[in-house]
Amino acid sequence: MVLGYEAKANGKELTDVDLIQIINKTLKELEEEKASYERANRVDSIKDVEEQIACISSYLPKMMSEDEIKTIILSLEDKSIPSVMKYFKQNYAGKCDMGLVNKILKSL
């Protein structure tokens, strides 16, 4: 994956999936920063980071529910693991937890 300025420098357009990955990376970094503040007992800084996390999280798409994932899997002709995972990666990248897709698929 090519992020932000690297994509622009390489002449690539950023896709929605790229943007979701950038946002998720930023959220992960903020969560790590929050954990550091918690270890240092810096309550004021924790609150600031939590506000940033809430703000940035609002830009993420709503993740698919287990029921939505199950309905889609059941509608597919080929329910083999590679086929289903490929389908979700191509059509729902950034909108579903691939681990959850795998778990639901195995439970069917």
Side-chain angles (χ1 to χ4, degrees), residues 6 12-13 21 25 33 44 48 53 59 62 65 72 75-76 80 86 89 93 97 100:
E6 295 172 8
K12 291 186 176 185
E13 290 285 323
Q21 289 174 335
K25 182 178 182 208
E33 184 177 345
D44 57 329
D48 291 341
I53 290 170
Y59 290 95
K62 179 182 169 273
S65 70
I72 293 168
S75 72
L76 297 174
S80 66
K86 180 179 178 182
K89 188 170 185 171
D97 178 344
L100 182 59

Side-chain angles (χ1 to χ4, degrees), residues 41-69:
N41 199 25
R42 294 186 53 194
V43 179
D44 57 329
S45 297
I46 293 169
K47 184 179 176 188
D48 291 341
V49 172
E50 286 174 342
E51 290 174 4
Q52 291 176 41
I53 290 170
C55 180
I56 292 171
S57 294
S58 70
Y59 290 95
L60 288 173
K62 179 182 169 273
M63 296 299 277
M64 296 173 70
S65 70
E66 287 188 32
D67 289 336
E68 291 171 315
I69 293 170

Side-chain angles (χ1 to χ4, degrees), residues 2-97:
V2 180
L3 295 179
Y5 60 90
E6 295 172 8
K8 193 169 184 170
N10 292 331
K12 291 186 176 185
E13 290 285 323
L14 287 176
T15 65
D16 288 346
V17 174
D18 293 331
L19 293 174
I20 290 168
Q21 289 174 335
I22 291 168
I23 293 169
N24 281 328
K25 182 178 182 208
T26 302
L27 287 172
K28 182 179 177 189
E29 291 170 355
L30 285 170
E31 289 292 344
E32 291 169 358
E33 184 177 345
K34 179 183 168 190
S36 295
Y37 289 142
E38 288 171 343
R39 285 191 298 273
N41 199 25
R42 294 186 53 194
V43 179
D44 57 329
S45 297
I46 293 169
K47 184 179 176 188
D48 291 341
V49 172
E50 286 174 342
E51 290 174 4
Q52 291 176 41
I53 290 170
C55 180
I56 292 171
S57 294
S58 70
Y59 290 95
L60 288 173
K62 179 182 169 273
M63 296 299 277
M64 296 173 70
S65 70
E66 287 188 32
D67 289 336
E68 291 171 315
I69 293 170
K70 187 174 183 179
T71 301
I72 293 168
I73 292 172
L74 293 173
S75 72
L76 297 174
E77 266 187 51
D78 183 359
K79 294 176 183 62
S80 66
I81 291 175
S83 176
V84 171
M85 298 304 283
K86 180 179 178 182
Y87 179 82
F88 273 86
K89 188 170 185 171
Q90 289 176 342
N91 296 289
Y92 300 102
K95 297 177 185 171
C96 67
D97 178 344

